[in-house]
Amino acid sequence: MAETSGIPQGSPAVGATGSAPAAPGVGGTECSGVVVGSARIAVKKAQLRASPRPKKLEKLGVYSSCKAEGACKCNGWKSQNPPPTPPPPTPPRAEQPTAVNLQEPCRSCSHSLGDHVTHLENVPEEEMNRLLGIVLDVEYLYTCVHKEEDADTKQVYFSLFKLLRKCILQMGRPVVEALESPPFEKPSIEQGVNNFVQYKFSHLPSKERQTIVELAKMFLNQINYWQLETPSQRRQRAPTDDVASYKINYTRWLCYCNVPQFCDSLPRYEVTQIFGRTLLRSVFTVMRKQLLEQARQEKDKLPPEKRTLILTHFPKFLSMLEEEVYSHTSPIWSEDFIIGSSGAQIPTVISAPPVARPLTYNSSPAPVEMVGGGSLSPTQKNTSSVEPSPGGEKRKPSELLSHEDSKRTRVLGDIPMELINEVMSTITDPTAMLGPETSLLSAHSARDEAARLEERRGVIEFHVIGNSLNQKPNKKILMWLVGLQNVFSHQLPRMPKEYITRLVFDPKHKTLSLIKDGRVIGGICFRMFPSQGFTEIVFCAVTSNEQVKGYGTHLMNHLKEYHIKHDILNFLTYADEYAIGYFKKQGFSKDIKVPKSKYVGYIKDYEGATLMGCELNPSIPYTEFSVIIKKQKEIIKKLIERKQAQIRKVYPGLSCFKEGVRQIPIESIPGIRETGWKPQGKGKELKDPDQLYSTLKAILQHVKSHQNAWPFMEPVKKTEAPGYYQVIRFPMDLKTMSERLKSRYYTTRKLFMADMQRIFTNCREYNPPESEYYKCANLLEKFFYTKIKEAGLIDK
């Protein structure tokens, strides 16, 4: 019999100190209190379970109902229904002695305690031990109620205490009753992190990918043992947050994850398996900050290999994950996220083909944002320069990417999944296929491939920087801004230097800068107009000795992804005659998608320049777009090669053309169906040759029996129609069709229909419309198609 306890969905939960009852002072990243408390209880349970049976009965007698004659209503030493307010703190051992005698009278009903355990005489030892485990959990929770200072926390502890107390009385199993049962959200945190690793890192070599796997495991483990702050603490820290929904998750966390760590009578779940994005969003910012702070404080205690992993790679991993946690358009939280081609899952990482490269937008102490995979020091990576919105979100959801689009399923057509798996393993296997590093000199390489590789190696970096009148000037940023002013002035000689300087240092303008060896070699200066839904590109240049390396394309791709993150999906710019070609290659056109009323009066007008626009697609990972296209081409190429190997078969040539046939249906070509071609014509094709023969024979007999068939029964004689064969090069008649039918020439209905149609076409071509032959051809043709429809060979 399962016992349940109702926990209000919105009620405050257990643990006002943010810790397990075993160690009320422990919180944050510390979980040693939980471990120590769990170990202490486990030792006590082991000792009690190893005790003689009489001692076990004595222990259970205190918590069992009286079975004495006379219908005693005593529910044990303690009342089953305690008062609403817990009793004042008194020494628990004074009220609950650990050693009693079964001959002693019960304090509640005066019957001996032996009368309380008569129902346990024949209970198996295993069940006895289970009940004893619940007893110790009850005593421990009772102690926690009195140690807990928060009134709301006492209430939930008390609810769990009553639940376990009732389970002992009724020998049931504890079940926490709630409106919803685990899991509470899909996909879970664990699955979301799995998807994140696929989405961002599956393109990496196996060694680097294994590093990401370790980081993911480390992160998931931290969440499973993370001590959440109480709703009251959260209300004090963030008064504008939705504390009510947090309180629900907090209560669930304590009842299903935290308290069961030391009270193992309650069923325990992993946090990462039953909670999803909602809980992760509520704890991620604080958790990330504390984890990094703790890592810096304990860096000297870490072994060298762990020190590099935690201090160098972990901050960037968390920053990238933060983008996906707070992004409304991130695909990793979709239930239809496509699992890797192998379909296999491991606890923290699923191997899959790459969808997009990592994108991070981090900041230095000043307003500078890191874009792409460039390297920054750990101190630079810790603070995000993207300011959160009042609701705590990183950026607004894109209205252009609908919910249906994000859950669009993958269509594989007729290609078996096994074949896709095999091809993908070839594509992603570096030994089976040359990687991008070895094919940079290929004539077919993408324009930005060399730049992408340099960024991955740390040769170049991308930063979004700007001047600020509110913050203390940062020397490095000011140096970069001066460098940008020099690059623009040198590469755009027709632009006044004063004008370039004014815009580059204008706080309303930002510049995506390209840094190589610590100096600026290019950039794109722009001004964002969020209220109007577009950004104006003002200057775009790369220093002359660094051109023709794909930097310009890679710059623009980074700028596109930066704006997608900020929910601005349109670019406008005035391009001079020398820049039109570049912008066309980057997806710009003269067809402006932004309404004129949106940009008139906002964008700067330049004489002799052409206004061009570009509309962004939030579903495209622009910095990796050429890599994805390249891999798609490779996949298709491999599939074609495998298909060709299967169908490479020589068929005899067609002989029907020698007999005057000008055209035949495609499906009648031998071997065409083996290539995967399927007819798109209307009508039903009979696959059984005997059935087709019988159907065509019946139709032909009906046609020959028709009253208007007499002109077409036999081939036209030259003596009766002089010059007929000079006009009609490919004659046909019903007698010839009968012979062809007997020889099984008509393998498809279309061959048969083509010959019949030739009879009518030839007649109308040779004879005038007013002739009797012409009229017979029309009437017989109409009758023929009636019979064809009746046979179901074409749609009616």
Side-chain angles (χ1 to χ4, degrees):
M1 176 178 178
E3 296 301 327
T4 60
S5 175
I7 301 296
Q9 288 293 303
S11 66
V14 195
T17 58
S19 66
V26 179
T29 59
E30 299 291 339
C31 62
S32 58
V34 178
V35 175
V36 171
S38 302
R40 189 187 309 128
I41 298 174
V43 170
K44 288 185 177 180
K45 288 182 178 180
Q47 292 174 347
L48 187 57
R49 286 165 178 164
S51 304
R53 190 175 180 90
K55 188 174 182 64
K56 295 180 181 180
L57 291 173
E58 290 174 358
K59 190 72 173 177
L60 288 170
V62 177
Y63 296 93
S64 301
S65 57
C66 183
K67 304 298 187 297
E69 296 180 1
C72 181
K73 296 182 179 180
C74 174
N75 283 326
W77 201 312
K78 286 192 156 202
S79 173
Q80 180 189 3
N81 301 308
T85 303
T90 55
R93 293 182 182 275
E95 188 177 359
Q96 301 181 91
T98 56
V100 294
N101 193 307
L102 290 178
Q103 302 304 319
E104 290 185 22
C106 173
R107 294 186 181 181
S108 299
C109 67
S110 299
H111 291 109
S112 68
L113 286 179
D115 291 330
H116 288 249
V117 294
T118 55
H119 65 294
L120 298 175
E121 292 179 357
N122 299 321
V123 170
E125 200 71 17
E126 183 180 351
E127 176 65 10
M128 185 85 76
N129 289 337
R130 185 185 73 84
L131 293 174
L132 286 169
I134 300 178
V135 166
L136 288 183
D137 287 342
V138 165
E139 292 180 353
Y140 192 68
L141 277 174
Y142 184 85
T143 304
C144 294
V145 168
H146 294 294
K147 285 186 176 181
E148 185 56 60
E149 298 178 357
D150 183 80
D152 294 332
T153 302
K154 286 179 182 286
Q155 179 183 349
V156 180
Y157 270 153
F158 213 38
S159 297
L160 294 175
F161 167 82
K162 289 191 294 181
L163 166 66
L164 296 180
R165 181 77 176 82
K166 188 176 180 181
C167 286
I168 301 173
L169 287 171
Q170 300 182 357
M171 299 179 65
R173 295 186 179 274
V175 176
V176 179
E177 188 180 64
L179 295 179
E180 296 181 37
S181 57
F184 302 112
E185 190 175 0
K186 291 184 180 180
S188 64
I189 296 174
E190 181 179 281
Q191 185 61 54
V193 174
N194 290 346
N195 296 343
F196 167 71
V197 174
Q198 292 182 72
Y199 182 54
K200 293 292 188 182
F201 302 101
S202 55
H203 68 285
L204 295 177
S206 58
K207 185 176 181 180
E208 296 179 25
R209 193 163 58 244
Q210 187 58 37
T211 300
I212 302 301
V213 171
E214 294 301 320
L215 293 173
K217 288 181 179 179
M218 184 191 309
F219 177 73
L220 292 174
N221 187 63
Q222 289 288 346
I223 296 178
N224 282 329
Y225 291 97
W226 191 259
Q227 303 300 308
L228 302 187
E229 60 183 343
T230 63
S232 58
Q233 291 172 333
R234 186 176 183 84
R235 189 182 296 108
Q236 293 175 0
R237 184 179 61 82
T240 60
D241 283 0
D242 183 7
V243 180
S245 60
Y246 176 79
K247 188 183 293 185
I248 294 173
N249 275 336
Y250 185 68
T251 303
R252 291 169 174 171
W253 170 74
L254 282 160
C255 293
Y256 291 101
C257 305
N258 184 259
V259 174
Q261 288 188 61
F262 48 86
C263 291
D264 59 6
S265 302
L266 295 166
R268 181 177 181 271
Y269 298 85
E270 295 288 355
V271 176
T272 55
Q273 293 178 355
I274 65 172
F275 291 99
R277 187 184 192 182
T278 303
L279 180 71
L280 186 59
R281 277 182 168 181
S282 64
V283 303
F284 191 92
T285 304
V286 174
M287 180 178 176
R288 174 178 177 270
K289 181 179 179 180
Q290 291 188 20
L291 283 176
L292 296 178
E293 182 63 31
Q294 184 186 18
R296 285 192 291 270
Q297 292 177 356
E298 299 180 359
K299 61 182 179 180
D300 296 333
K301 302 177 183 178
L302 298 172
E305 63 277 5
K306 286 288 184 181
R307 188 180 306 148
T308 303
L309 184 69
I310 294 175
L311 296 181
T312 304
H313 300 297
F314 200 40
K316 187 172 182 179
F317 176 88
L318 292 176
S319 296
M320 293 167 59
L321 180 57
E322 186 175 30
E323 289 288 338
E324 303 303 322
V325 169
Y326 293 104
S327 167
H328 283 278
T329 58
S330 174
I332 70 171
W333 301 106
S334 169
E335 291 187 46
D336 295 328
F337 183 88
I338 300 172
I339 303 302
S341 61
S342 63
Q345 296 188 29
I346 57 179
T348 56
V349 173
I350 304 172
S351 298
V355 179
R357 279 193 68 247
L359 300 174
T360 56
Y361 295 88
N362 302 326
S363 69
S364 300
V368 53
E369 301 179 29
M370 179 67 181
V371 183
S375 59
L376 284 177
S377 66
T379 56
Q380 287 176 309
K381 296 178 183 178
N382 292 338
T383 309
S384 173
S385 65
V386 183
E387 297 181 1
S389 62
E393 304 298 335
K394 279 286 178 185
R395 52 190 169 94
K396 299 177 182 179
S398 172
E399 296 179 358
L400 299 182
L401 188 62
S402 66
H403 181 66
E404 288 76 13
D405 290 337
S406 65
K407 300 184 75 172
R408 185 178 298 136
T409 55
R410 185 177 175 182
V411 179
L412 298 179
D414 296 323
I415 302 174
M417 182 56 75
E418 294 76 14
L419 180 58
I420 294 292
N421 295 343
E422 188 178 351
V423 171
M424 284 305 304
S425 64
T426 304
I427 296 300
T428 55
D429 184 5
T431 62
M433 174 183 168
L434 294 177
E437 291 82 356
T438 60
S439 59
L440 287 177
L441 301 180
S442 169
H444 302 288
S445 297
R447 286 191 299 272
D448 60 336
E449 197 161 358
R452 186 187 306 107
L453 180 59
E454 287 190 9
E455 182 188 9
R456 193 170 296 172
R457 292 173 174 170
V459 177
I460 59 176
E461 297 176 4
F462 295 87
H463 300 268
V464 175
I465 62 175
N467 196 15
S468 175
L469 300 179
N470 302 321
Q471 298 182 8
K472 184 179 179 180
N474 181 280
K475 183 178 180 181
K476 178 184 287 188
I477 295 175
L478 291 177
M479 291 292 292
W480 283 349
L481 289 172
V482 171
L484 286 164
Q485 187 264 349
N486 290 333
V487 171
F488 291 144
S489 299
H490 184 72
Q491 296 302 127
L492 306 172
R494 294 194 292 178
M495 239 0 130
K497 289 186 178 180
E498 296 80 5
Y499 179 69
I500 293 176
T501 304
R502 177 161 63 87
L503 295 188
V504 168
F505 284 88
D506 177 20
K508 296 180 180 179
H509 286 70
K510 294 183 179 181
T511 305
L512 173 61
S513 56
L514 171 59
I515 312 298
K516 186 174 184 179
D517 298 329
R519 62 185 181 87
V520 176
I521 64 170
I524 300 177
C525 182
F526 60 94
R527 180 175 177 179
M528 304 168 74
F529 295 95
S531 62
Q532 305 305 111
F534 77 92
T535 282
E536 178 193 8
I537 295 178
V538 185
F539 307 125
C540 177
V542 175
T543 187
S544 55
N545 61 336
E546 296 286 357
Q547 292 179 2
V548 201
K549 295 182 179 180
Y551 292 153
T553 298
H554 207 42
L555 259 172
M556 186 61 72
N557 287 338
H558 270 303
L559 188 68
K560 290 176 180 178
E561 293 199 345
Y562 176 84
H563 278 78
I564 289 174
K565 295 285 184 182
H566 289 75
D567 200 28
I568 297 179
L569 303 179
N570 283 284
F571 287 159
L572 290 178
T573 187
Y574 272 98
D576 61 27
E577 57 181 325
Y578 303 105
I580 290 177
Y582 164 78
F583 282 110
K584 281 186 176 179
K585 293 177 182 177
Q586 308 309 319
F588 286 72
S589 72
K590 299 176 184 178
D591 181 18
I592 309 300
K593 302 295 184 182
V594 180
K596 195 170 183 179
S597 59
K598 288 285 188 180
Y599 63 84
V600 170
Y602 289 88
I603 189 171
K604 290 173 279 294
D605 196 355
Y606 297 93
E607 293 184 4
T610 303
L611 181 62
M612 303 183 74
C614 178
E615 188 175 17
L616 307 182
N617 187 330
S619 302
I620 297 177
Y622 285 96
T623 55
E624 285 296 314
F625 192 53
S626 58
V627 173
I628 295 172
I629 295 298
K630 180 179 179 181
K631 287 206 170 184
Q632 288 177 346
K633 288 180 178 179
E634 290 292 338
I635 293 170
I636 294 173
K637 180 181 176 182
K638 293 287 184 183
L639 290 172
I640 291 174
E641 289 176 357
R642 290 165 184 263
K643 194 68 176 178
Q644 286 177 339
Q646 295 172 4
I647 65 173
R648 195 162 287 150
K649 183 178 178 182
V650 179
Y651 289 86
L654 297 172
S655 59
C656 60
F657 296 107
K658 294 181 181 179
E659 301 174 6
V661 177
R662 298 184 64 179
Q663 62 182 21
I664 62 172
I666 296 176
E667 64 267 23
S668 65
I669 301 174
I672 190 70
R673 290 185 181 276
E674 286 81 348
T675 65
W677 180 89
K678 290 185 176 181
Q680 297 181 352
K682 298 180 179 180
K684 178 182 178 182
E685 188 68 75
L686 300 178
K687 297 182 179 180
D688 184 358
D690 293 334
Q691 185 182 359
L692 178 64
Y693 174 79
S694 301
T695 303
L696 297 182
K697 183 179 179 181
I699 294 173
L700 185 58
Q701 190 60 43
H702 283 297
V703 172
K704 290 169 70 175
S705 303
H706 195 269
Q707 59 181 356
N708 293 306
W710 60 270
F712 316 111
M713 295 299 290
E714 294 185 356
V716 177
K717 296 178 182 179
K718 292 182 180 180
T719 56
E720 296 178 355
Y724 180 83
Y725 290 99
Q726 280 73 38
V727 178
I728 304 302
R729 298 182 58 190
F730 305 107
M732 183 54 60
D733 59 276
L734 296 176
K735 181 181 179 181
T736 303
M737 287 189 66
S738 299
E739 293 172 353
R740 286 189 169 189
L741 182 62
K742 290 179 182 178
S743 65
R744 300 295 179 112
Y745 169 82
Y746 297 119
T747 56
T748 67
R749 61 180 173 86
K750 288 193 174 183
L751 277 175
F752 178 79
M753 293 171 63
D755 276 356
M756 186 67 75
Q757 186 63 51
R758 185 172 289 110
I759 294 176
F760 309 134
T761 303
N762 289 345
C763 177
R764 286 191 285 259
E765 185 177 350
Y766 183 77
N767 299 287
E770 64 275 7
S771 67
E772 187 177 6
Y773 300 110
Y774 199 105
K775 294 177 182 178
C776 286
N778 288 344
L779 292 172
L780 188 61
E781 181 183 35
K782 186 176 181 181
F783 174 77
F784 168 69
Y785 278 103
T786 300
K787 290 299 178 183
I788 285 290
K789 291 178 182 178
E790 290 177 357
L793 297 182
I794 62 173
D795 293 338
K796 297 182 179 181

